[in-house]
Amino acid sequence: MTLISKLAISLFISVTSIFVLAKPPTPTAQETQPAPITVWQGLEPSAPLPTTTLVTTPITQPDACETVFNMARHVGWPEAELTKVVAVAYRESRCLPYAFNGADTVGQSYGAMQVNDFWCLPSKYYANGYMQAYGLLTVCDDLFDLETNLRAALNIWRYSNGWRAWSL
């Protein structure tokens, strides 16, 4: 089809649509009346309700894992290991210093790093316990203190030459 024929067809359609299409009818008085109010519309308040202001209070206490990170840095964990310390603490206890597992495979585990009581109970080699021999704690329940727990975990990490005590 040539350009001229396409143009002619478009012009023909435009002109015929002007004369063929009629104006829409004007609405009747009944059609201009407002719609009746339904029950649920009648219950709406006549004026809009004022918006409420939501007051948010910033969280001032750091989350548990941030506390573990800061305390691990404080007790002397190497900077390169800090993120792994937090990952292990999260996996073991969700970073909670009071976590306790009384049904561990070897005994009981305490605190954020879930230090096993194997390290704090008397043994053949350490009459009072390994951790007690190094002056890190007195009784296993001391491992519920986050600082003590992270110091004990650091000692175990060094003794194990890495993360083997946590199966990593």
Side-chain angles (χ1 to χ4, degrees):
M1 213 182 223
T2 66
L3 182 62
I4 295 175
S5 58
K6 288 181 184 177
L7 190 59
I9 292 171
S10 299
L11 183 61
F12 175 74
I13 291 173
S14 300
V15 170
T16 52
S17 65
I18 292 173
F19 296 109
V20 172
L21 296 176
K23 285 183 176 179
T26 36
T28 63
Q30 185 180 4
E31 292 173 338
T32 58
Q33 294 289 328
I37 296 177
T38 61
V39 173
W40 65 270
Q41 287 174 327
L43 297 176
E44 291 179 354
S46 57
L49 295 174
T51 58
T52 58
T53 306
L54 179 65
V55 178
T56 57
T57 307
I59 298 173
T60 55
Q61 183 177 359
D63 72 335
C65 289
E66 186 178 345
T67 304
V68 167
F69 181 88
N70 294 331
M71 185 61 72
R73 176 181 279 156
H74 171 74
V75 301
W77 277 89
E79 286 288 323
E81 298 296 329
L82 289 176
T83 53
K84 192 170 276 190
V85 169
V86 173
V88 169
Y90 185 78
R91 183 191 77 180
E92 295 288 340
S93 68
R94 299 298 183 253
C95 298
L96 300 175
Y98 52 84
F100 177 73
N101 181 0
D104 203 345
T105 55
V106 180
Q108 299 174 336
S109 295
Y110 298 80
M113 296 295 286
Q114 288 292 282
V115 175
N116 194 275
D117 64 4
F118 163 82
W119 297 98
C120 59
L121 292 178
S123 69
K124 176 180 173 182
Y125 302 103
Y126 300 98
N128 293 325
Y130 176 81
M131 293 294 166
Q132 290 86 335
Y134 284 93
L136 293 169
L137 48 90
T138 312
V139 293
C140 291
D141 283 348
D142 292 346
L143 290 168
F144 289 124
D145 175 63
L146 182 61
E147 184 174 356
T148 304
N149 190 276
L150 288 169
R151 284 187 195 281
L154 177 59
N155 189 291
I156 295 166
W157 181 78
R158 287 178 178 153
Y159 178 85
S160 304
N161 292 321
W163 293 101
R164 287 185 289 162
W166 289 271
S167 300
L168 297 182

